[in-house]
Amino acid sequence: MKNILIINGHQRYSTAEGNLNQTLMDKMVSLLSEKNNIKTTIVQNGYKIEEEQQKFLWADIVIYQTPVYWFSVPGLLKTYMDEVYAYGLFFKSADQYGSGGLLTKKKYMFSTTWNAPEKAFNDPTQFFEGNSLEDALSHLHLMQKFIGMKPLKSFTCYDVIKNPKVGKFVFELELHLKEVLNF
């Protein structure tokens, strides 16, 4: 049995209510709670920094469920990270830059929703110029590496505004969680 923290990083806008990200988070909770201890945070609803820090220390695995806005996480999720990732608790000074992470026994997974279609990645003639999804998420992976966490394979829903295939996304998420977390 693992301790799993699931964070919904969606930030509501008039054109993005967050229904898909909440649906995916709810599915994770439903699938994983049978054999794991689950705690959740919905950043949009507010949080207490010290409580969130304790959730990270408790967790074996942290799952970030988040849309990608302008090639990064929403501003509220970035603020959450800025406030919660504390010096002395999540990382410390080290002789070699980036080697002072204190959460070395923890893993994380990104579950992201993109308006970009899947074909925009891994093709040199498309927008991302041959770069992969992981390349596009590399700055987010570096933040987790800095605090010592190890990555699990990311999950992504593509083209969610133009072609919202919620049933397909939920089905693929379930397959992904079975593969990555062996539940």
Side-chain angles (χ1 to χ4, degrees):
M1 183 170 282
K2 299 281 186 189
N3 294 334
I4 302 175
L5 170 60
I6 304 171
I7 302 168
N8 183 341
H10 181 266
Q11 182 171 345
R12 186 173 293 119
Y13 292 102
S14 61
T15 57
E17 294 182 16
N19 296 329
L20 176 58
N21 283 277
Q22 188 62 50
T23 297
L24 295 171
M25 181 182 184
D26 291 344
K27 185 65 172 182
M28 287 180 208
V29 170
S30 171
L31 291 170
L32 298 174
S33 63
E34 193 172 308
K35 295 183 180 178
N36 299 283
N37 300 309
I38 305 294
K39 291 186 180 183
T40 62
T41 297
I42 300 173
V43 176
Q44 180 79 45
N45 294 346
Y47 54 88
K48 294 181 179 169
I49 294 169
E50 295 79 16
E51 286 179 18
E52 296 306 306
Q53 291 168 337
Q54 290 307 308
K55 288 180 186 179
F56 268 84
L57 297 176
W58 166 86
D60 300 307
I61 298 168
V62 178
I63 300 174
Y64 300 89
Q65 176 58 56
T66 183
V68 174
Y69 293 162
W70 291 104
F71 314 105
S72 192
V73 295
L76 286 179
L77 181 54
K78 177 58 171 74
T79 298
Y80 171 93
M81 292 173 178
D82 289 344
E83 292 178 337
V84 173
Y85 291 16
Y87 178 81
L89 192 60
F90 285 25
F91 63 96
K92 63 180 180 180
S93 295
D95 290 337
Q96 182 178 349
Y97 182 80
S99 65
L102 298 173
L103 304 184
T104 58
K105 295 184 179 169
K106 300 177 185 305
K107 296 181 179 178
Y108 72 93
M109 183 184 100
F110 283 117
S111 176
T112 60
T113 58
W114 288 73
N115 190 40
E118 187 171 6
K119 68 182 180 182
F121 296 91
N122 302 310
D123 180 343
T125 67
Q126 294 283 332
F127 177 80
F128 290 101
E129 300 175 334
N131 289 311
S132 70
L133 171 74
E134 295 304 332
D135 293 330
L137 296 175
S138 65
H139 63 292
L140 301 174
H141 286 296
L142 285 173
M143 290 179 356
Q144 307 321 305
K145 181 179 179 180
F146 194 86
I147 62 174
M149 293 202 297
K150 306 290 186 270
L152 295 168
K153 182 180 174 185
S154 299
F155 174 76
T156 298
C157 300
Y158 299 96
D159 209 7
V160 300
I161 303 296
K162 189 175 179 183
N163 294 301
K165 299 175 182 171
V166 177
K168 175 183 180 280
F169 299 152
V170 169
F171 176 75
E172 289 174 348
L173 174 65
E174 184 171 352
L175 293 177
H176 182 85
L177 292 173
K178 284 180 181 177
E179 173 192 341
V180 173
L181 299 178
N182 302 315
F183 75 92

